Amino acid sequence: SLQTPQGHEIHPILKINYDAVFVFALTKEYQVVLLKQYFVSALTAHFTVIAGSVDKDKTPLEIATAELLEEAGGVAEEMISLGSIVARKWDVGNHHFFLAKGVMLSRPQSLDESEDIQVEVVSLDRFKKMLADNEIHDSGGVVCSYKALEYLKI
């Protein structure tokens, strides 16, 4: 059990998660690199940004750089941290957000056996419409996208 700041005793069910990274990838031409992959939780495929779990022996930046390469075959000229937040109220773990600028899709994907990921590159205008129309479904990807657009002032 836990005690709240107000002195109430509660018995929460906490979910222990690894930290996660989310990467908003932007090419030199200001096109957005998206992934379309199967979401077990929804039993359908959805668009998302690049993402992955943080291994305890690597930094979030190292994982973000590796996930960009593995999932999209991309290499960025610059990786910018957009900050971190607590994942959810009853989860232990943080979400770390990055903007990858000057992304070049020059390498083959290197997917895990369980991953089924297609890469799509869309215009910034098309992406903004997808975001507004809720076509980006995971919460971490949505937060990362809005943080990146705010950072870029576009």
Side-chain angles (χ1 to χ4, degrees):
S1 70
L2 296 174
Q3 189 169 8
T4 69
Q6 296 80 20
H8 301 289
E9 188 172 309
I10 60 173
H11 304 277
I13 297 174
L14 296 176
K15 185 176 177 186
I16 309 297
N17 288 322
Y18 287 104
D19 282 12
V21 297
F22 297 86
V23 181
F24 184 89
L26 197 61
T27 68
K28 289 180 183 180
E29 297 79 23
Y30 270 63
Q31 292 193 310
V32 181
V33 179
L34 291 176
L35 305 179
K36 189 165 190 177
Q37 58 185 318
Y38 187 78
F39 278 61
V40 174
S41 59
L43 301 176
T44 57
H46 293 286
F47 286 105
T48 186
V49 299
I50 290 125
S53 296
V54 177
D55 302 324
K56 295 300 176 195
D57 61 336
K58 294 188 178 163
T59 67
L61 176 61
E62 290 171 327
I63 297 296
T65 302
E67 291 294 335
L68 175 63
L69 180 61
E70 292 168 12
E71 292 185 346
V75 177
E77 288 181 345
E78 183 179 11
M79 290 289 278
I80 300 164
S81 173
L82 300 173
S84 310
I85 62 172
V86 173
R88 284 174 290 282
K89 180 179 179 178
W90 300 110
D91 287 7
V92 176
N94 295 309
H95 288 172
H96 306 275
F97 306 108
F98 293 90
L99 167 61
K101 290 178 70 179
V103 171
M104 295 161 283
L105 301 178
S106 57
R107 309 262 172 88
Q109 288 176 296
S110 176
L111 301 176
D112 292 337
E113 192 175 289
S114 63
E115 292 178 309
D116 179 16
I117 299 173
Q118 288 82 44
V119 178
E120 284 203 34
V121 180
V122 300
S123 71
L124 197 49
D125 286 339
R126 169 73 180 117
F127 176 76
K128 287 179 178 178
K129 179 158 180 28
M130 292 173 74
L131 192 58
D133 292 344
N134 296 316
E135 292 182 52
I136 311 299
H137 280 268
D138 67 295
S139 59
V142 170
V143 172
C144 185
S145 297
Y146 279 115
K147 284 180 148 300
L149 293 173
E150 174 64 26
Y151 178 90
L152 294 165
K153 308 255 187 272
I154 50 177

